[in-house]
Amino acid sequence: MRNTLLIRRYAKAFLDYAIENKMTEQGLADLELLTATLQDNRELRSILSQPFLSKTKKETIINRIFKDKISDKTLNFIKLMLEKNRHDIIPLILVPYRELYYEYKNIAEVTITTAVKIDEPTQRKLLWFIKDKLNGNVQIINKIDKSIIGGFVINYLDYQYDRSVRNELKSLQSIFNENLFVKGY
């Protein structure tokens, strides 16, 4: 079981470290690269999880792979995590770090799901539906989901505005499934 509190603490510690060193954006980019590399490379994950491999050897491997790709400050933080034997949560701190980073930068993350890719002006127009809930900068994530058939679904925090064809069809189906026949007429 993953310890989400521990993961969040490391993400918060890394954000504090990034703020202190004026590298919050670089820290996010570094974590995205680290996470993608670790998720795509099963052998690297396996090497890092080997208990018989010394921590200095693991640090050397990480250093060789990421030396010119991520900042030295991020490398130092990753080395600290390896020293504390927390290699397994390195790829897991990206999501909480991003959430904390967006909170720190006052960025609202809005997900717009459509059946086809839409352009930037259309995305901005769709934000009108939730404009009263937004404050600060907006980071739009456009997801493609052909199963919604048409229309759109907007997700922001716990709020969802669903104007998809799939949702409308479900509403119609529930209306038609009601038995409107009343005996005696």
Side-chain angles (χ1 to χ4, degrees), residues 115-172:
V116 295
K117 182 143 180 66
I118 56 175
D119 60 357
E120 184 74 23
T122 306
Q123 291 176 3
R124 293 284 170 198
K125 286 178 185 174
L126 289 176
L127 291 179
W128 179 83
F129 290 100
I130 59 168
K131 69 177 185 222
D132 56 328
K133 293 172 181 26
L134 297 174
N135 56 1
N137 300 321
V138 177
Q139 172 71 31
I140 299 173
I141 299 170
N142 185 215
K143 290 187 177 177
I144 309 293
D145 181 4
K146 294 191 184 300
S147 71
I148 70 168
I149 304 168
F152 59 90
V153 179
I154 298 175
N155 291 307
Y156 172 64
L157 299 175
D158 291 336
Y159 179 77
Q160 182 176 32
Y161 188 78
D162 191 345
R163 296 299 295 178
S164 65
V165 173
R166 176 183 61 196
N167 188 47
E168 296 298 319
L169 289 173
K170 282 183 183 177
S171 296
L172 285 173

